[in-house]
Amino acid sequence: MTRYVQPVPTPDDPYSGDPLLRSWLDRHLGPAGHAAAKGRLADLAADVTGPLRAAHADAEAHPPTLVRYDPWGARVDRIDTSAGWQTQRAAAARHAVVALPYLEAARTTWGAGARVVQHALLHLYAPESATFSCPVAMADGAAALLSRPEVDAGVRDAWLPRLISTDPDTAIVSGQWMTESQGGSDLSGSSTIGRPAADGSWRLTGEKWFCSAADAPMAVTLARPDGAGRGSRVLAPFLVPRYAADSPLAGATVAADAPAPGVTVHRLKDKLGTWALPTAEIGLRDAYALPLGDPAVPGLVRAMALVAVARVHNASAAASGMRRGLAYARAYAQARQVAGGRLADSPLHRATLGTLAVDAAGAFVLAGHAFALLGRVEVGGDPDAAAELRVVAPLAKLATGRLAVASASEYVEAFGGAGYVEDTGVPRLLRDAQVLPIWEGTTNVLALDVLRAVTREDAAVPLLRRLAAAVDLARPLSPALAATLAAVTDELRERLGEITADPAAVEVVAGARGLALRAAYALTTALLVEHAAWGDEQAEVAARLWARRRLRHEDIAADAHRHLDLLG
């Protein structure tokens, strides 16, 4: 008897096989702008389906290790990473995944749309990067922070070119050392203390509990300037060199790749997912640091420049992972025979995949909108975009993170028993998705950020304006869709008014998660409508089904089955 071996499914090319991505680029960049980006995107897609997919597997199979001592007993705190991780690092630089929106040539070609192109690059790169997309996000956030005018020009000139280099031999990424064990996301409890030195640098002492990309040559961290008082507003961002090569405190006899004096790696985290990403607990003892802005001026608001960028990256990672998981599940369904026919021909399975495709489309436009807003803020200083981004960044992050986990669970199930076997690579989809609702703020933390944005910064105004405009766009497409969106817009306007009247009310705070998700789902409907009104048929179908499912809580299985080929 011949032993049966299931054919390995091969998904479509992630660029040419994604019509929603391509039409989104046509709309936001114009045909000429998309044409200017096409070669870059096609090259990255070819790398993803070839060497980067293999590098991804290698990095997953060979997680980082911490070497604390050399053979003679000297403390080295060296983090060894795999060849696959290094391949991903080089590819991120070569394809300008971090650098693109900072390059003068890109801004000349696309203007604010350089962030739209970057989102497309991330959409291709992130899902099979072995989560190198995390240091990419932190490098981008660090670059945004270093680009602020209040940062010392000498510090900027020394570090920003390395963050945005497209040469793998010189490009670096950044870590992010923010949280401490006693506070987590509550930064008001931060106990890391900074003290100025005579040369204008600072010395930091404290314990950082969750330090992502711990092998990166630099990190951005928060510290409380000595004597600054309590609370989180007074915290200041600092740049800490990770290695002796970049620390003037290191002696000439210290190896360049040794840890900078005062930086100790206590241990690597043993995490549920993101296995290839080195995440550590790090101690600082009079560690050399450079202030990013004047530490005498409350600095948390400066650090939020980094956080906003990281949040939109998080949303992009969620959306791209959902799209790639759908591609793999659809390819498997084409290859798998069940009950005498292809799994892809089962009406029930088609309905499941169609519903997942609607969620993937919604996540994509929500993340894409956040990147488009970010570009408008950076190029031209658009105040309307800045106001909208203050609420869209947390909304996009919280909604897509939750969607990604739910979708990943379905993708694992779509493979049956094979989805539960590690060496198929499928379980990683679920393991890695679970970090997305946690990193850069849990759902509840972000929901409270949304409350603060709409009450303190009047960020509800641009949100409600966009929803109202989408109602008008929806009427020619579908009167039912327009009526649904109009009703939810009125509901949100009323609820946001109640929040503004008493933002500390128990009912308001307790209901913050539900309100934030409702607002995010309404915004996603509006964004799908906008794209449909531009002329995208897939977005029109997705908008109708998304609104029925997420706003009206209806079962869309029959229509999802019927429209799967268009949606997927």
Side-chain angles (χ1 to χ4, degrees), residues 180-221:
E180 300 174 11
S181 58
Q182 71 274 16
S185 60
D186 179 10
L187 298 175
S188 64
S190 177
S191 60
T192 298
I193 299 298
R195 296 180 174 87
D199 62 355
S201 66
W202 283 58
R203 303 293 179 266
L204 306 187
T205 297
E207 295 291 331
K208 297 298 183 179
W209 185 79
F210 209 89
C211 303
S212 292
D215 60 332
M218 61 163 280
V220 175
T221 189

Side-chain angles (χ1 to χ4, degrees), residues 523-538:
L523 173 61
T524 301
T525 307
L527 297 171
L528 287 167
V529 165
E530 289 175 5
H531 200 52
W534 172 81
D536 188 279
E537 184 182 3
Q538 180 181 355

Side-chain angles (χ1 to χ4, degrees), residues 223-245:
R224 190 179 306 281
D226 196 19
R230 305 181 65 177
S232 60
R233 289 183 65 255
V234 299
L235 298 177
F238 291 87
L239 187 157
V240 179
R242 168 73 172 82
Y243 297 110

Side-chain angles (χ1 to χ4, degrees), residues 2-384:
T2 303
R3 182 171 175 265
Y4 175 77
V5 177
Q6 173 66 44
V8 178
T10 303
D12 291 337
D13 179 275
Y15 172 56
S16 63
D18 192 337
L20 182 59
L21 169 63
R22 297 197 313 276
S23 71
W24 184 264
L25 293 171
D26 279 340
R27 175 179 155 222
H28 284 268
L29 303 177
H34 186 183
K38 186 174 183 179
R40 183 183 292 275
L41 295 167
D43 288 347
L44 177 54
D47 251 9
V48 166
T49 57
L52 293 186
R53 191 163 283 167
H56 166 84
D58 177 74
E60 282 285 311
H62 302 94
T65 56
L66 172 61
V67 179
R68 290 191 175 87
Y69 299 96
D70 73 6
W72 302 100
R75 186 78 185 243
V76 293
D77 284 359
R78 186 181 73 244
I79 297 175
D80 290 339
T81 56
S82 68
W85 186 251
Q86 295 305 319
T87 298
Q88 293 288 352
R89 182 193 64 78
R94 192 171 61 251
H95 290 285
V97 180
V98 174
L100 189 83
Y102 300 92
L103 301 179
E104 190 60 37
R107 290 194 173 187
T108 299
T109 302
W110 296 294
R115 281 288 184 184
V116 175
V117 180
Q118 183 196 33
H119 175 236
L121 291 170
L122 290 166
H123 198 69
L124 302 178
Y125 172 78
E128 292 170 282
S129 68
T131 60
F132 199 86
S133 53
C134 176
V136 160
M138 293 184 293
D140 193 355
L145 181 54
L146 281 164
S147 298
R148 290 176 65 95
E150 61 266 41
V151 172
D152 179 80
V155 176
R156 181 187 306 112
D157 293 345
W159 290 93
L160 182 58
R162 299 170 69 185
L163 286 168
I164 62 174
S165 171
T166 57
D167 179 357
D169 291 335
T170 59
I172 66 170
V173 291
S174 177
Q176 190 170 307
W177 305 350
M178 301 290 190
T179 60
E180 300 174 11
S181 58
Q182 71 274 16
S185 60
D186 179 10
L187 298 175
S188 64
S190 177
S191 60
T192 298
I193 299 298
R195 296 180 174 87
D199 62 355
S201 66
W202 283 58
R203 303 293 179 266
L204 306 187
T205 297
E207 295 291 331
K208 297 298 183 179
W209 185 79
F210 209 89
C211 303
S212 292
D215 60 332
M218 61 163 280
V220 175
T221 189
L222 289 173
R224 190 179 306 281
D226 196 19
R230 305 181 65 177
S232 60
R233 289 183 65 255
V234 299
L235 298 177
F238 291 87
L239 187 157
V240 179
R242 168 73 172 82
Y243 297 110
D246 295 309
S247 174
L249 302 184
T253 59
V254 177
D257 61 351
V263 177
T264 301
V265 182
H266 296 312
R267 62 170 178 164
L268 294 181
K269 297 288 194 180
D270 186 6
K271 299 164 292 178
L272 170 66
T274 66
W275 289 352
L277 172 66
T279 307
E281 294 178 23
I282 290 179
L284 304 174
R285 294 291 181 274
D286 288 326
Y288 177 84
L290 298 167
L292 300 175
D294 184 355
V297 177
L300 189 61
V301 67
R302 292 196 300 278
M304 289 306 293
L306 181 154
V307 171
V309 170
R311 284 177 174 175
V312 300
H313 271 264
N314 196 98
S316 178
S320 61
M322 291 167 68
R323 184 66 180 87
R324 195 67 52 84
L326 178 66
Y328 272 100
R330 290 204 66 184
Y332 181 75
Q334 294 288 342
R336 183 66 173 166
Q337 294 288 320
V338 175
R342 293 186 313 162
L343 182 58
D345 295 328
S346 162
L348 179 57
H349 197 67
R350 283 178 60 85
T352 301
L353 294 178
T355 301
L356 290 166
V358 171
D359 283 350
F364 173 80
V365 299
L366 188 53
H369 180 55
F371 272 86
L373 290 173
L374 182 60
R376 287 168 52 195
V377 172
E378 293 174 334
V379 179
D382 186 332
D384 292 335

Side-chain angles (χ1 to χ4, degrees), residues 338-566:
V338 175
R342 293 186 313 162
L343 182 58
D345 295 328
S346 162
L348 179 57
H349 197 67
R350 283 178 60 85
T352 301
L353 294 178
T355 301
L356 290 166
V358 171
D359 283 350
F364 173 80
V365 299
L366 188 53
H369 180 55
F371 272 86
L373 290 173
L374 182 60
R376 287 168 52 195
V377 172
E378 293 174 334
V379 179
D382 186 332
D384 292 335
E388 189 174 356
L389 184 61
R390 281 193 285 273
V391 72
V392 168
L395 285 179
K397 194 274 186 191
L398 72 86
T400 58
R402 296 188 65 77
L403 286 169
V405 174
S407 294
S409 179
E410 290 282 6
Y411 294 142
V412 170
E413 189 175 341
F415 282 82
Y420 205 67
V421 177
E422 275 292 343
D423 56 8
T424 66
V426 179
R428 179 196 60 80
L429 297 175
L430 185 55
R431 286 192 283 100
D432 287 355
Q434 187 58 65
V435 77
L436 296 167
I438 296 173
W439 185 58
E440 290 300 351
T442 63
T443 306
N444 285 357
V445 168
L446 290 161
L448 294 175
D449 281 355
V450 170
L451 284 188
R452 281 188 286 271
V454 300
T455 56
R456 298 180 187 175
E457 303 174 39
D458 208 16
V461 173
L463 174 64
L464 292 170
R465 186 187 302 130
R466 183 170 297 277
L467 295 180
V471 172
D472 293 335
L473 292 174
R475 288 193 180 99
L477 301 175
S478 166
L481 173 59
T484 297
L485 188 54
V488 175
T489 301
D490 289 341
E491 171 200 329
L492 287 172
R493 183 177 291 109
E494 181 178 352
R495 292 183 66 184
L496 291 169
E498 294 170 353
I499 288 169
T500 304
D502 189 1
V506 171
E507 295 79 5
V508 168
V509 176
R513 176 194 284 234
L515 173 68
L517 287 169
R518 188 75 164 159
Y521 295 158
L523 173 61
T524 301
T525 307
L527 297 171
L528 287 167
V529 165
E530 289 175 5
H531 200 52
W534 172 81
D536 188 279
E537 184 182 3
Q538 180 181 355
E540 181 178 346
V541 172
R544 288 192 280 106
L545 296 183
W546 174 277
R548 286 177 52 197
R549 183 172 190 226
R550 296 292 174 183
L551 300 183
R552 289 161 51 183
H553 310 293
E554 294 180 359
D555 186 350
I556 62 169
D559 284 334
H561 156 258
R562 187 168 68 253
H563 293 295
L564 172 61
D565 294 333
L566 174 64

